[in-house]
Structures are given as structure tokens and as C-alpha cells.
Amino acid sequence: MIGTVFLDLRKAFDMVNHDILIKKLYCYFQNTNSLSLLSSYLSERSQVVSQNGCTSAPGIVKCGVPQGSILGPVLFCLFINDLPLAIRNENTILDLFADDSTLHTKGKDSTQIETSLQSGVIDVNGWCHNNNMLLHPKKSKSMLITTRQKHQRQPLNLNITLESITIEQVSEHRLLGVIIDEELTWKSHINCIAKKISRNLFLLNKLRPLVTVDGLKSFFSAHCMSHLNYASNIWFRTSDVHIKKLESLHKRGLKIMCMQNNLTTLEKCSLLDVLPLSKQFEYNIGILIFKIIHGDAPLYLNTFIQKPCIGNRLFNCKLPFPRIDIFKTSLAFAGSSIWNSFPANFKNCNSLYTFKHSLRKHLMA
């Protein structure tokens, strides 16, 4: 079982205290000139409100990073970067992405998970009090992720509170554009993608008599394939029922772009120089694993892929042992299996560009 709490910070970018931020910046920029420059950038900033021709008196801005600026997100990330250090429970992990913070832990039962997450929430709340930040208990959500059988066997509830307010437990939640559900079926995420693509295919059909085939391909790539490719390395091994829904939309897009409707799907793909959807997913997986093997991907991904050993002529990854069937849909197993199915003559390329070109040519054959 995996338990997680999706934390929400109230007006995160606007609550950054300048004095605390400057103290933290000293840990990163001990050079006096650099620190003085950033202090000058933050200090003595003022703002006014103008409405119906009336302008208020200037007010000094004592907190918040300038939104819309290049330095704004960087300063916020530096401000919040020490938040994971506040977690005392070694079994609880806090992941950060800008102002999206997620606590997660694993355990054999819901009671153990609830205890670990509650401890983590208390630690995060303490950090917020020390740094003049606020957690939003009503917008924070909790979730218990496990197999369908365990959810059906008995109700698995998490009673996690934040300052006497219970954090709502949900069955699905959107995180960084991906809808995660408590059984990792990806049904809600696929449905969301399908709705977006369906709307854009309607527009693509309206564009058909107005633009060239190249123009249709550009629109299809930007407004349809972008949704299909985003985070597909996570959910591409979901149920065939969900994948068929996306394949149907992909084929509809090919039919709109291809002026010859008497061709098969593979012939349309060849004519338009577009990969079939299943091959596109394999292409995405191949690129990711190539980056992992060559050290161009985030370091934490190294734990999922067992890199080929020195002297391995086939350049294959070692497949982990799947104790349960759902593990076969993971990046560690499914991704390694797909990588091992590629020809060895281009898996050991040193150039990502050469690998992409060779892999695409192989998949188009």
C-alpha cells in the first residue's frame, strides 16, 4: 500500500517572507556582491492599485516573489528547498515541484500509513509556521493507493488532520497534469485525454479544407499528440479497453489528415510519416531509457532500470522479478522489456539524435 497527501500552500508565491528568504540565500550565495544584488532586487518594492481612474498610494511589498519574472520561480524554489529536511520519519518522503508538495509513504496496513503521514503533516505544518507559510487544509487531499482487491475487501480510510481539520480522502487527484486514482487504473486520466483530443479533432476536421496536409500534421502534433505523449511512460500499459479508446481517436486523426480514405491504418501512417500509437509509446519509452542509461535523466529513475552490464553484447536491461501482475505494467518491467526488444545495433549509440533516428526508422518499418 502507498499512502499520500497532496499538500496545498495558501498563496505560496505571495507568502514568501523577504527577510527569511535573504537568510536562506546566504547559504547558497555567500558571495557578498551576489547576495547584495538579490537583496536589492527584493527590497523597497512597491505596488499601487488603479481602478476607474483612481490610483491608491504606493504600498511597500514586504513578502512575495515577483510573479511573471524569471527570478520569481527560482527564488521560491530556493525558499522551499529545505522543506524535505523537516520530515523526521525516515519512511515518509516529501516530493517538491514548485508549489506542489506531496507526502507519501508505504506500509502493510492503513494504520501504519496513517501514522506516518500524520507525522509528516505535523512536520510540514511546523516548517510552515517557522517560515511564515500556511497550509490549506480544505484543499489538501489524501489518498490510499493499493490493489482493487484490497479496496473491495474492506474500507480503507485515512484519518489525517491538519490543525483539527480532517484532510479529505479522495479516490483520484490531479497532480502535475496527471490524474492519479487509488487503484492506478488510469481510467479517469484516459477519459480526460480523450475529451481533449476529441475536441481538437473537431477543429482539425474544420481546418481540413483550409490548410495543407503539412498544416494539418502540425496541428495534430501540437494539439493531439502532445496530450497522448505527456507522461505516457507512466500509463501506457493500462487496460486495453482504455488504450483502444485512444487508438480510435488516433485513427480518426489519421483519417482526417489523409485524403485517401481507402488505405489501411498502417498505410496512412506511412504516407503521413506518423507512427502508429502503440509504436509511438514504444518510441517514448526507448528515448527515456536511453537517457537513463546514459545519465541524462533525473537520478531517481536509475532505481527503476537495471542498466546493461559491461560486456553485454545485446545491451539489454535486466528484468526485475514481478511478484504481482500489476508490476508488469510498470516502467521497471514493461519499459525494460520494450528496450530489450530493440535491435542491439543502435541501442549502444552514443548520440541521442542517432538513436532517435534509428529507433524511428526501425518502428516505421
Side-chain angles (χ1 to χ4, degrees):
M1 293 186 190
I2 300 292
T4 182
V5 177
F6 306 100
L7 299 169
D8 184 86
L9 293 169
R10 292 179 186 263
K11 299 182 178 180
F13 283 80
D14 296 329
M15 294 286 289
V16 175
N17 184 281
H18 290 173
D19 293 333
I20 298 176
L21 175 58
I22 291 172
K23 291 179 181 178
K24 292 186 177 185
L25 289 176
Y26 180 77
C27 299
Y28 298 97
F29 308 102
Q30 296 186 11
N31 182 288
T32 307
N33 293 332
S34 300
L35 190 61
S36 298
L37 177 64
L38 291 171
S39 298
S40 176
Y41 177 75
L42 292 169
S43 62
E44 298 182 7
R45 303 184 72 94
S46 62
Q47 64 181 15
V48 298
V49 177
S50 180
Q51 186 177 8
N52 297 329
C54 299
T55 304
S56 67
I60 300 299
V61 179
K62 297 182 179 180
C63 62
V65 292
Q67 297 191 42
S69 65
I70 296 175
L71 280 178
V74 177
L75 291 174
F76 178 80
C77 289
L78 291 173
F79 182 84
I80 204 173
N81 193 47
D82 63 327
L83 175 53
L85 301 177
I87 307 300
R88 292 171 294 179
N89 190 330
E90 60 181 11
N91 296 322
T92 305
I93 300 173
L94 178 69
D95 292 325
L96 298 175
F97 189 92
D99 58 334
D100 288 307
S101 307
T102 307
L103 275 171
H104 59 91
T105 187
K106 62 181 179 180
K108 295 182 178 180
D109 57 72
S110 58
T111 304
Q112 178 185 354
I113 290 173
E114 180 182 301
T115 302
S116 298
L117 290 177
Q118 182 65 68
S119 173
V121 169
I122 292 172
D123 292 339
V124 172
N125 196 38
W127 180 92
C128 288
H129 284 305
N130 293 333
N131 290 270
N132 289 0
M133 302 288 282
L134 289 174
L135 281 174
H136 202 313
K138 292 185 178 180
K139 288 188 177 181
S140 298
K141 308 295 180 183
S142 67
M143 183 188 296
L144 191 60
I145 303 172
T146 187
T147 60
R148 174 175 53 85
Q149 292 80 0
K150 288 185 178 180
H151 276 294
Q152 291 177 341
R153 195 177 303 157
Q154 60 179 348
L156 299 174
N157 299 319
L158 293 175
N159 185 24
I160 302 172
T161 60
L162 175 59
E163 295 186 348
S164 73
I165 299 176
T166 301
I167 295 177
E168 180 186 3
Q169 182 177 352
V170 294
S171 58
E172 60 184 47
H173 185 77
R174 182 187 293 274
L175 178 66
L176 302 178
V178 178
I179 300 177
I180 303 172
D181 61 86
E182 63 184 2
E183 296 176 8
L184 294 184
T185 63
W186 306 109
K187 179 181 178 181
S188 297
H189 182 69
I190 299 294
N191 289 337
C192 181
I193 293 175
K195 288 180 181 178
K196 292 178 181 178
I197 295 175
S198 183
R199 289 195 298 264
N200 291 334
L201 287 178
F202 172 80
L203 298 176
L204 181 68
N205 192 41
K206 293 294 183 182
L207 285 173
R208 181 175 177 176
L210 304 175
V211 299
T212 63
V213 174
D214 288 338
L216 293 176
K217 285 178 59 179
S218 297
F219 183 92
F220 181 72
S221 176
H223 298 282
C224 297
M225 290 307 301
S226 59
H227 295 298
L228 289 169
N229 288 329
Y230 181 72
S232 64
N233 295 329
I234 301 174
W235 51 261
F236 79 106
R237 284 289 186 171
T238 185
S239 170
D240 290 341
V241 175
H242 305 323
I243 294 298
K244 285 180 180 178
K245 182 182 296 186
L246 298 181
E247 287 180 339
S248 176
L249 293 169
H250 188 265
K251 291 178 182 178
R252 192 195 307 174
L254 296 176
K255 183 178 180 180
I256 293 171
M257 292 186 291
C258 188
M259 304 303 178
Q260 304 178 38
N261 294 327
N262 58 336
L263 302 177
T264 64
T265 300
L266 291 178
E267 289 172 336
K268 291 175 183 176
C269 288
S270 179
L271 182 64
L272 295 168
D273 193 27
V274 174
L275 287 170
L277 187 59
S278 59
K279 299 295 184 181
Q280 180 65 45
F281 290 153
E282 291 184 18
Y283 180 75
N284 297 340
I285 281 287
I287 293 174
L288 177 60
I289 296 184
F290 182 89
K291 290 180 178 179
I292 294 173
I293 291 174
H294 289 80
D296 295 327
L299 293 177
Y300 70 89
L301 291 176
N302 292 335
T303 59
F304 299 105
I305 302 297
Q306 299 186 36
K307 300 179 181 180
C309 301
I310 298 175
N312 187 337
R313 294 182 179 180
L314 297 178
F315 214 68
N316 286 344
C317 296
K318 184 179 179 181
L319 286 178
F321 177 74
R323 291 186 298 174
I324 54 177
D325 287 339
I326 194 173
F327 183 73
K328 294 181 180 180
T329 67
S330 67
L331 173 65
F333 186 88
S336 298
S337 299
I338 290 173
W339 173 265
N340 293 347
S341 69
F342 296 151
N345 61 341
F346 62 81
K347 284 194 292 187
N348 58 356
C349 292
N350 293 323
S351 167
L352 178 60
Y353 174 81
T354 304
F355 174 77
K356 285 182 177 181
H357 178 76
S358 301
L359 178 58
R360 185 176 179 82
K361 184 178 179 180
H362 167 72
L363 294 173
M364 286 294 294

